[in-house]
Amino acid sequence: MASELVIKNLHASIEGKPILRGVDLVVRQGEVHALMGPNGSGKSTLANVIMGNPKYEVTDGEIWFKGENILEYSPDRRARMGLFLAFQYPMAIPGVSVANFLRRALEAVREGPRPIGEENPSGRPAPRKTIPPSEFRNLLREKMKLLKVDNSFINRSINDGFSGGEKKRAEILQMALLEPEIAMMDETDSGLDIDALKIVSDSVNALRGPKLGLLVITHYQRILNYIVPDFVHVMFDGRIVRSGGKELALELEERGYEWLRPEGSEVAVND
Amino acid sequence: MTEALATTGFSREAVIALSRRKGEPEWMLQKRLEAWEIYEQTPAPLGRRGDLGTLQRLARFHFQELRPYLPADGDGALPASIEEGLRDALVGAAERSGLVLQRNSSVVRVELSEELKSRGVILTDLDTAVREHGDLVQRYFMTQAVPLATDKYTALHAAFWSGGIFLYIPSGVEIEEPILAQIWLDAPAAAAFAHTLIIADELSSARYVEEYASAFEGEQPSLLSAVVEVFTKNGARIEYTSLQDLGRNVWSVMHKNSIHEADSSVSWVMADLGSRLTFSNIGSNLIGNGSATELVGVFFSDQDQRFVIKSLSNHVGLSTNAETLVHGALADESRVEFDGMIRVQPGAQQTASFLSEHNLLLSKHCRAEAIPGLEIGANEVSASHGATTGQVDEEQLFYLMARGLPKDEAERIIVQGFFEPVLQRITLDSLRSRLRRNIVRRMRGGHESEADWIEAQERWEIEGVDEGAVSFDRPSSEEEEIRLLPE
Ligand SMILES: Nc1ncnc2c1ncn2[C@@H]1O[C@H](COP(=O)(O)OP(=O)(O)OP(=O)(O)O)[C@@H](O)[C@H]1O
Ligand SMILES: [Mg+2]
């Protein structure tokens, strides 16, 4: 059975300020959803809340993944279950090399979630399964070729001094490596040049299939020409105010968002 | 042994008894007595109002419950713990050109390669140096680099020093392989004084590695007082590395200072991990034109440890250079004060001096205070200083966890990454890996088993940014591919 991510009436706030005001959304393996909407409408917030960022407080609603309510789960448990977020602003972590980090991440995700109650046991956690360097090397080489990532960047610190475009590409490299079941791409297209956009889209398309569900957050129709969505949703003021097929994206391109503004909502701009 | 030396507590009688016992020349006895006078008249440094109170605590230490001198055991055999420590030394027997081992109050072993002896290098205990190279010792011992009146503790050191190391490198001699010194304290309620006097003559160079360690049980604290004096003549280069990994029942006071002639350099590497309380002073006096210094410091404190670290880059000559880079992590209730001073004397034109110090707080109860200072008396100067104190970044933590890493491990990786820039500056591989292991061990979550810890240690080399263990390098063939070095 295809894995499902089910969001029900999700409300979330940051520092006491409500951002999500009742989001309903279902993303299944094999489907591609686009999420659009004006700046500050809550798209990144939604992605972060799904991934379990502790900065946000969920005040109401539910998030179900693979039949489990994951609201109380730690981010690492969610990742090990098969969720992935390609960040809009990936964090730099100085002093930690991409290669070593990715190898650990792959081991963790392959290990999968530990049985509940054994995540922080008073006894001893299960021994780690390590991935032999040779196997990791082959896998990484394959994905790097796919994304036309420069060899040198593997020895650099995570996102440290990466250009905007390099960071985005590195996020998709991670996604390709970790093979999630449901992946969210938060404005991966912003900051990519035309060639890079093509490369990234091609790689994402190569990953498309019955085993991957995608939520593509974007402001631009262009990426959707490459990664053609099955569904398009528009978020406004913390709610999904309109859903449709791929033609909705074209309509938005033409008409903007204002016609979708729900009554009584105010203009929210964050930058 | 005369009574005054055998009992606990420091006194004028004990000073005289110590000097007599060593059969010292009159000038050294007079120097000791002068120091004792100063000790008695000088108040202990108490720090500033509102600081973390560590110097006050040190001042209240029960100095008078310590034995000022511990005679060496009759047969000279070393206890198993010290033999083991020597086997695990930062510089192994095959890699070093010389060795000095001090146990409590006595130097018990001195070795120097025949080659270096034949080239005129002198490595001895300080008692021997007083006898055989009295002129040099008289000129350099606690006169310029660490004058005996620097503070109350240096005065005590000058009055009661015993053991001690003397290294002289003649002009033009370059010592590639490091000289290792291990200083051991293995008795409770004892005071040990470790003195290191290094004179590097013109255009000579050497690498010197000092380890401070202890091996005794129990609550009764001992004191280690260390003074290191380095003199670099024109064009000489010294690389001084120290690892302080004393037990938690040891208090320590250290003063290390270098005096530079023209175009000479000293690079200090200091790692502080152990002891209950350490008051550490490091300074470089860049007197000669074109001289340079570098200080790379790493510390990690936990439980109720307290460190006070003071650094001074004193620019006197023309075109001198200094760089200070210190990274430290604090856990539990530990407290660290860092006081880093750049002083550019009038006339010290074309000075370049940089200082940065970063503290990472790993608990809500630890406290760090960093005070960078800058005094500039010249006008053609490029100087900058900065200090930061922060916690593990929540967003970085979330990023790693979003990739499947458990919180403990994510935190550990971030801390490892925090130390990496300083670790990369350490040329001694064994120290780098010792520090990494120490960091991993201290970061292990309370629930992790011993086996996990060992595994984490073994994995460290591939988890840090380490050139050796897993490196992706381009093969010489034209085909672009990445390759892992074989494990
Ligand atoms: N730390 C914070 N404190 C207060 N408000 C915040 C904080 N972080 C985000 N917000 C607000 O939350 C709202 C939603 O932000 P979010 O990043 O989810 O929007 P978005 O739809 O992703 O926008 P964009 O298209 O610009 O990426 C914005 O109004 C933003 O200002
Ligand atoms: Mg956003």
Side-chain angles (χ1 to χ4, degrees), chain A residues 44 88 186-187:
Chain A
S44 295
Q88 182 175 4
D186 192 355
E187 293 198 29

Side-chain angles (χ1 to χ4, degrees), chain A residues 10 13 83 87 93 121 131 134 137 150 154-155 191 210 228 245 249 259:
Chain A
L10 190 65
S13 54
L83 280 175
F87 286 85
I93 307 185
I131 296 171
S134 57
R137 169 196 63 203
D150 188 75
I154 213 77
N155 276 333
V228 181
W259 59 285

Side-chain angles (χ1 to χ4, degrees), chain B residues 22 40 123 131 196 245 265 456:
Chain B
K22 288 171 176 281
E40 287 215 294
L123 181 67
R131 280 195 307 274
T196 304
D245 201 2
S265 71

Side-chain angles (χ1 to χ4, degrees), chain B residues 78-93 96 98-111 123 162-165 178-186 192-196 208-215 224 226 240-246 428 430 434:
Chain B
L78 293 174
S81 52
I82 296 182
E83 287 287 3
E84 196 186 319
L86 191 56
R87 269 197 306 278
D88 296 339
L90 285 177
V91 190
R96 61 193 179 225
L99 167 73
V100 182
L101 194 76
Q102 175 167 342
R103 180 184 176 201
N104 302 321
S105 305
S106 314
V107 169
V108 294
R109 205 177 282 183
V110 181
E111 295 165 11
L123 181 67
S162 57
I165 297 159
I179 292 170
L180 173 77
Q182 279 199 338
I183 289 139
W184 284 90
L185 236 173
D186 69 341
F193 297 87
H195 195 99
T196 304
Y208 185 86
V209 177
E210 205 147 58
E211 291 181 63
Y212 304 102
S214 66
L224 177 69
Y240 172 97
T241 300
S242 76
L243 170 62
Q244 181 274 104
D245 201 2
L246 295 160
L428 193 66
S430 57
R434 181 84 65 93

